[in-house]
């Protein structure tokens, strides 16, 4: 999943996919893109071969599972796979439905849903819903201050 997210972000930012080396360096920064250190008994060519074998083995497994894809022999062709795209579309649709449901709630339903909402709280429903909730809170506070025409201790 982390590999597919990194690939999607890189493609969005640069218009091209990352290299295998860049992807594994991002996923395993503490060990230079490999799962553990390689014994000193190996020479440079053997070390490169081991690293390459590990990377292609992992990438092929992720490809089989549908998380990533690439074209053979084409540099920077890494892209997200079908399973990741389907998962991403489902996540985005679910998030959009939560935002729509939040925006359609009445003030009473909002009070029951989140008894102590904080203005600007973007964690649950995203920026749009947080702004909507902040406006409702501000309006409620104005009404409580006596601006709404009610009698407060007169």
């Amino acid at each position: 999943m982390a590999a597919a997210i990194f690939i999607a972000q890189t493609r969005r930012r640069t218009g091209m996919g990352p290299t295998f080396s860049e992807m594994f360096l991002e996923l395993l920064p503490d060990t230079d893109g490999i799962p553990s250190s390689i014994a000193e008994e190996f020479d440079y060519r053997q070390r490169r071969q081991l690293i390459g074998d590990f990377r292609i083995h992992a990438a092929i497994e992720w490809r089989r599972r549908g998380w990533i894809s690439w074209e053979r022999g084409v540099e920077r062709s890494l892209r997200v796979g079908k399973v990741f795209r389907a998962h991403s579309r489902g996540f985005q649709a679910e998030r959009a439905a939560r935002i729509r449901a939040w925006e359609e709630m009445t003030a009473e339903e909002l009070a029951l849903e989140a008894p102590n909402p904080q203005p600007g709280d973007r964690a649950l429903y995203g920026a749009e819903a947080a702004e909507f909730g902040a406006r409702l809170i501000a309006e409620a506070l104005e009404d409580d201050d006596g601006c709404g025409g009610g009698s407060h201790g007169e």
Side-chain angles (χ1 to χ4, degrees), residues 2 15 30 42 53 115 138 143:
D30 297 338
F42 295 108
D53 289 348
D143 289 342

Side-chain angles (χ1 to χ4, degrees), residues 48-66:
R48 296 305 317 156
Q49 183 66 42
L50 286 171
I51 292 169
D53 289 348
F54 159 73
R55 289 177 176 171
I56 197 66
H57 177 75
I60 287 172
E61 183 60 30
W62 296 338
R63 185 181 199 175
R64 286 180 181 150
R65 293 179 186 212

